[in-house]
Structure formats: C-alpha cells, structure tokens
Amino acid sequence: MLRIVSARSLSRGATSLLQRFQSTLVIAEHDNEKLIPITLNAISAAKRLGGEVSCLVAGTNCSKVAGELSKVQGVAKIFVAQHEAYKGFLPEELTPLILATQKQFNFTHICAGASAFGKGLLPRVAAKLDVAPVSDIIEIKSSDTFVRTIYAGNALCTVKCDEPVKVFSVRGTSFEAAPVSGGNASSQEAPPPSPAGLSEWVEQNLTKSDRPELTSAKVVVSGGRGLKSGENFKLLYDLADLLNAAVGASRAAVDAGFVPNDMQIGQTGKIVAPELYIAVGISGAIQHLAGMKDSKTIVAINKDPEAPIFQVADFGLVADLFKAIPEMVDILKKK
Amino acid sequence: MALRALVGVKRVIDYAVKIRVKPDKTGVVTDGVKHSMNPFCEIAVEEAVRLKEKKIVSEIIVVSCGPQQCQETIRTALAMGADRGIHVDVSGKDYESLGPFQVSKILAALAKKENVNLVLLGKQAIDDDCNQTGQMTAAVLDWPQGTFASEVKVEGEKLKVVREIDGGLETISIKLPAVVTADLRLNEPRYATLPNIMKAKKKKIETVKPEDLGITLTSRVQILSVEEPPQRQAGLKVETTEDLVTKLKEVGRI
C-alpha cells in the first residue's frame, strides 16, 4: 500500500516535470509526393503544447516530403522511415514503427490530423500503448486537457487525459496551418521496420478534380437532394469555378448517387470550415450541420422557407435553385 | 471456411433527436429521451446477416456493453437475424466512464472466448463520435483492421475490403481473423418484421460482467464539462440573387 502511495506521489512530481519537457510526435500524412495539408494543422496544435515537435514520415518514398517538412516552422526533428512495407500506409505496418520510435524517444504526446488516415491509425497505436486516445480535438487547454465535440457537434466536451502518453487526433479546421517556410529541422532515420504482413494494399480509386481540396478550400459550394440529379450538379460546378470553390454534398445527394461519397460533408463525412459555405438545396439536418456550421459565412439557397438550414445561415435566399444559381453565375461573370 | 462473427452494437440517443445539455454541464440529458441502435451498428449487423445468408458466416453473436436497456438493442439485432446475444452489464459510474478503451478490451476478450474470426462494428457511435473501438479491438487482438468499409468480400483466408478514404476509395486485403468497421454505404439495413421480432424473443441473451472476462474498468480520461456550442447569430433573408451577391461582396466573401 505504502509503495503504491509513494509511486503515485512520484508520478505526480514527474508530471509537473514533464510539463516542462514535453515532446510531441506528429505522424505526417502524405502521398509519397507531397505533404497532406492537415499535417500542418496538426503541427500547429502540437506547437500549442509547448514542447519540442518532431515529425515521423513513413512511406515508400519520403525524401520530397521530408524536405518539405524540414522547412515547416516549429518542427525540430524529422524521423524518416522509407520502406516498401509502408506501401499504402497500412496501420498494421505503421503501428510497430510508431511504437519503436516511441520506445526510443519517449514522447509525451502523439498526434495526427483527424483524417481517414489519422482516424484509422491512432486508436490502434493508443491501444498498443494501453492508453485511451482522444479524437478530433478542436482546442488544447493545457498539456492534458482538450476540447472535442460530441453528438454531431451539438455539445462541446472538455476532457482531462491522465494517460502517460496522450494520443490524439486534431480537427484540421480548428487550427491554423503551420507556415511552410522558416523552419530548419534536422532529419534522422527512424527505427527499421518489422513487417507485420497482416494486410496488403491492393488499389486506390481517387476522385480526380481540378478544384481545390474540400477540407482546406476557402469557399465551398454544396448541393443536396434539391439538385434532383447528378447532371444538375453541373450548375454548382459552374458556380464553384467562378468562386474558385470546392464542391461538397449532403448525404442525401451521395445516397441518391448524384456525386461520389468522398464529397459528403457532415458528421460522418468531411468537416469543413471555409470562409464561405453556400448550401444549395440542402435542408440542414443535424448530421449535415455537424460538418459545416463552423464556416465563417453561411449562405442558404432553398425554396422551403422552413428548412432548418436558414437557422444557421447568415444570408438566406428563399428561391428555386434552378433559377437562382444560373442567375448568380451570370452576375458573377459580369463583374 | 465458415466464419464466426461477433457484432458489437451500441444503444445511443436516436439520431433524429435534438440533444439537450444538462444545466450542470455534466453531460447531456438521456432520461426520457428516445434511444435506438447506433446507425453504424445496424449496418454492421446487416452485413453479418448477409454473410450468413451467403453461408459464409455460420453464427452471429451480438454483444452490447452498458445498462439493462442494452438488451433491447441486442433484441433488435436478434430480430434482424443475429443468432444469440451477450449483454456485458455495466452500470452506474462505470457506465459513465465507459469508452472505446474499455469496450475494445471487452470485445477482444469475447472474441477469444467465443472463438470468432470476424468482429464487425460500426465505424463510430453517433453520441461520442470517437471512431476508435474497432481499431483498438484489432490492436488488442493483434488482428488486421478494415475500417470505414463500403464493401466486404471473403476470398479464402482473406477479406477484401473497399474502404472510404478522403480522396475516394481504397481496396485492401486483410488476413482473417480480422476486425471490420462499417461505413454508411456498406449496405441498407433491413427492417425487422413482426414474426422475426417474435422469434427474437426466444433467442438467448447471456449476461456477463466485465470481471467475468477478467477486465477491470478503470478510466484515466475524465470529462470535466459538457457545454452548448456557441450559437450562431440569426441571419438575414435576402429577396433576390442580386441582393445576395451584393451582400457577399459587402462582407468581403466574394
């Protein structure tokens, strides 16, 4: 009993010491060519913790990305793990690498962006470290206290995490991107891989688009069931092109097959917070609002004046979208 | 090879309910509020039942962790076609702090005990929005994971899983035994028919305690407060498209 007590007070002493010597490992997300922007938001979050920030780059081709990262402001060290085993960035292969890196350097925090990559990987890492992870944080109050949303963004939950290692994913739209110049990080090789061989990457079918990427676009034009067909989405593409906007969709539009599901915005799709969000023919269900209600300015165009979307819209136009959108395109073309 | 599937289901506040935060900021109001099965769990159950109908799965065991009322959620899964249920009884303080960390340990213990080779879960619960349990269960078991699945095919000793990723879709091949988490587009869950609901009443639900599985429910994550998010200010209705564009220019958005 006595031993337990003394161990506890010891660990309490150690905690205050740790606050001064924090170190965070950010798992970089990339495609072997370039860094995925959400990594820069995760780096900003990591910087908020106060300690040293390191980045781990694992993949089949890391040199370009490591070069990019070395210039990012606030990154002190980069660990590079280049190996065929990391093809497809499978969590079964990346987890042992992260554990080995953690064993060597004893980070107090491990984080990544809350993208499909980060969400798939971090809980696996946390379970292996026998700690409870924290998902999709929107604010860091202190080194152990985080804010996240629950119930589709309808409540803010502040959690205190007393785990020896804090493993968390970062909502990209809640933290600024770290500047991509002015940094001068040193680079070193990460521990060698120990291929798990449980899984294999087969293929990818990415939606190709010339428009800006949805989660980081400054303007998003989004369509719902009101568009009636996939062809009609062309109206939104025309408008988006004039505004240099990305195009999103509600679940109804995805389920009806109008657009692919990687365009879905909402609780179970992507979370966006652009400067301008234009919701066209979207009623504004709880699950959709979860993905866009932190946008700076929200515009709703809907023919139903009772649509819940009008309760969150800064500017609402009650009109038939098939008339309003072409009109808007004309006006914008004239200016 | 016939698979034995374990499906985890969670009882949550119904997705259509507008939740209310408790005035003392300790959580959200759950008393007297409509609850139902987490939508992603329904999809996981449906997938298991379809695999059984294709004779790929031989038995479906459905499990839920929480208070007594979870048995209703298990019954729903039984009515959809699961074979038997396990209710892991967790209540009071332990239930308040029950999260993916604890649930994944329970599920892993059950997966071993029941000798299953496929664990099917939803990708996230719509209350805590964690998106962790499947990944953590796979880690505890040291099994591969097929998360955010929109298509699952059994190919011999492997599973081919099409996953929903940020830029589109990705196909992976994972060795069995494995953990799969269902995305929305994996399938369209069936409605339980009245005869099936009646039949489900005869199916067995076993109740176990976490201790029976050798699991202690400690938590090192504490909820300090639950609050309302900031409310948006009421907006302006404009009359014409022209007005709209003018307003957006005025505020500097276009």
Side-chain angles (χ1 to χ4, degrees):
Chain A
M1 194 58 202
L2 253 176
R3 279 180 59 184
I4 297 170
V5 172
S6 65
R8 270 208 195 128
S9 57
L10 243 174
S11 76
R12 208 172 293 147
T15 313
S16 64
L17 217 110
L18 275 176
Q19 275 167 357
R20 276 164 50 214
F21 298 106
Q22 289 194 67
S23 55
T24 305
L25 180 68
V26 179
I27 316 298
E29 181 175 357
H30 67 101
D31 61 3
N32 288 313
E33 278 292 320
K34 55 186 190 320
L35 205 57
I36 304 293
I38 197 169
T39 307
L40 298 170
N41 308 96
I43 291 171
S44 285
K47 286 200 281 194
R48 291 284 303 279
L49 292 163
E52 188 176 82
V53 177
S54 305
C55 280
L56 174 67
V57 186
T60 52
N61 193 359
C62 301
S63 53
K64 259 168 114 171
V65 179
E68 223 182 304
L69 262 176
S70 67
K71 297 187 199 93
V72 174
Q73 231 175 69
V75 180
K77 265 189 226 152
I78 298 168
F79 301 102
V80 182
Q82 181 166 316
H83 196 275
E84 278 307 307
Y86 305 131
K87 185 179 173 191
F89 311 99
L90 295 163
E92 292 80 4
E93 302 297 341
L94 293 179
T95 302
L97 167 70
I98 297 165
L99 296 177
T101 314
Q102 170 62 13
K103 204 173 169 193
Q104 204 173 338
F105 298 97
N106 283 311
F107 300 100
T108 54
H109 296 75
I110 299 176
C111 74
S115 57
F117 168 79
K119 286 175 184 170
L121 175 62
L122 287 176
R124 191 173 179 104
V125 172
K128 282 285 164 202
L129 293 168
D130 200 28
V131 302
V134 185
S135 289
D136 211 1
I137 61 153
I138 60 166
E139 195 188 329
I140 294 172
K141 295 216 158 176
S142 71
S143 64
D144 61 4
T145 306
F146 309 98
V147 184
R148 57 184 304 269
T149 66
I150 53 175
Y151 289 94
N154 286 298
L156 301 179
C157 181
T158 305
V159 293
K160 186 168 182 292
C161 174
D162 286 325
E163 299 288 6
V165 187
K166 279 86 174 159
V167 179
F168 61 95
S169 62
V170 174
R171 181 170 297 182
T173 55
S174 297
F175 296 86
E176 299 270 295
V180 290
S181 63
N184 186 21
S186 67
S187 189
Q188 68 186 89
E189 259 182 60
S194 41
L198 291 168
S199 53
E200 194 188 336
W201 182 86
V202 180
E203 62 173 356
Q204 227 173 36
N205 286 303
L206 299 184
T207 309
K208 285 204 174 67
S209 166
D210 299 330
R211 292 190 188 82
E213 195 266 323
L214 195 52
T215 54
S216 53
K218 284 197 163 56
V219 181
V220 173
V221 179
S222 210
R225 200 195 308 269
L227 266 293
K228 292 199 175 100
S229 76
E231 291 78 63
N232 290 337
F233 255 77
K234 188 179 176 303
L235 291 171
L236 299 193
Y237 296 137
D238 291 346
L239 177 62
D241 288 343
L242 287 167
L243 296 168
N244 190 29
V247 178
S250 70
R251 183 186 164 190
V254 172
D255 283 353
F258 300 169
V259 291
N261 46 41
D262 53 283
M263 282 168 68
Q264 185 184 327
I265 290 168
Q267 181 182 21
T268 65
K270 294 198 170 76
I271 295 184
V272 301
E275 288 177 9
L276 176 61
Y277 186 88
I278 305 179
V280 184
I282 292 176
S283 66
I286 298 171
Q287 292 77 15
H288 184 74
L289 300 183
M292 46 63 81
K293 68 179 177 184
D294 289 327
S295 305
K296 300 252 170 33
T297 301
I298 298 174
V299 170
I301 300 173
N302 203 304
K303 64 180 175 192
D304 173 13
E306 304 297 322
I309 191 78
F310 286 118
Q311 289 161 25
V312 300
D314 298 284
F315 301 110
L317 175 63
V318 181
D320 182 358
L321 71 94
F322 293 103
K323 192 169 152 276
I325 300 300
E327 272 177 17
M328 207 166 160
V329 167
D330 283 342
I331 300 168
L332 289 170
K333 269 184 184 159
K334 268 182 227 155
K335 73 162 185 181
Chain B
M1 118 193 211
L3 300 176
R4 293 168 54 76
L6 184 74
V7 186
V9 294
K10 186 177 184 182
R11 175 180 178 266
V12 298
I13 292 182
D14 189 83
Y15 74 95
V17 171
K18 174 100 181 73
I19 59 121
R20 280 183 302 133
V21 172
K22 286 186 193 165
D24 66 359
K25 297 184 179 177
T26 55
V28 306
V29 178
T30 54
D31 288 343
V33 175
K34 186 186 176 196
H35 282 66
S36 38
M37 192 192 296
N38 179 44
F40 290 98
C41 302
E42 284 186 1
I43 298 170
V45 173
E46 174 65 33
E47 196 64 19
V49 174
R50 288 186 190 189
L51 288 170
K52 193 178 175 192
E53 286 166 348
K54 287 182 200 153
K55 314 256 183 260
I56 291 165
V57 159
S58 59
E59 189 184 23
I60 303 168
I61 307 159
V62 54
V63 53
S64 190
C65 309
Q68 188 65 26
Q69 295 96 311
C70 290
Q71 295 208 1
E72 294 161 25
T73 313
I74 296 173
R75 284 282 168 221
T76 308
L78 295 176
M80 286 173 73
D83 295 294
R84 62 186 170 94
I86 300 173
H87 169 219
V88 183
D89 188 12
V90 184
S91 52
K93 270 220 137 17
D94 281 342
Y95 179 57
E96 280 167 34
S97 64
L98 187 73
F101 181 73
Q102 294 79 12
V103 173
S104 63
K105 289 187 174 182
I106 292 171
L107 292 176
L110 282 172
K112 279 190 201 148
K113 184 176 170 232
E114 297 291 342
N115 199 21
V116 302
N117 32 21
L118 177 63
V119 175
L120 269 163
L121 303 171
K123 78 162 176 176
Q124 77 191 66
I126 60 162
D127 51 0
D128 62 28
D129 279 335
C130 278
N131 196 330
Q132 298 171 347
T133 306
Q135 296 87 312
M136 296 183 81
T137 306
V140 176
L141 289 164
D142 257 318
W143 291 2
Q145 62 189 52
T147 47
F148 325 144
S150 62
E151 204 185 314
V152 178
K153 250 195 228 151
V154 180
E155 293 185 338
E157 304 281 302
K158 289 180 177 173
L159 281 184
K160 200 171 190 185
V161 180
V162 179
R163 305 180 57 226
E164 299 206 2
I165 56 168
D166 291 334
L169 296 171
E170 169 182 277
T171 308
I172 57 170
S173 170
I174 56 179
K175 278 189 186 158
L176 285 164
V179 177
V180 170
T181 72
D183 214 317
L184 274 176
R185 270 154 293 269
L186 183 58
N187 59 48
E188 183 104 18
R190 69 193 64 190
Y191 287 103
T193 58
L194 190 59
N196 285 341
I197 293 169
M198 300 311 285
K199 262 190 241 162
K201 289 189 177 166
K202 296 203 184 85
K203 292 181 181 174
K204 215 181 109 206
I205 299 179
E206 179 192 354
T207 299
V208 297
K209 290 269 187 192
E211 304 88 79
D212 305 337
L213 302 165
I215 288 160
T216 36
L217 297 176
T218 49
S219 171
R220 292 180 295 263
V221 176
Q222 192 193 339
I223 294 176
L224 296 184
S225 72
V226 174
E227 289 166 67
E228 295 265 0
Q231 295 299 314
R232 289 190 78 96
Q233 289 194 328
L236 191 77
K237 286 257 171 77
V238 294
E239 293 299 322
T240 65
T241 312
E242 211 135 285
D243 289 350
L244 178 62
V245 175
T246 314
K247 288 282 178 205
L248 288 176
K249 275 185 189 157
E250 272 171 23
V251 296
R253 292 289 180 226
I254 55 174

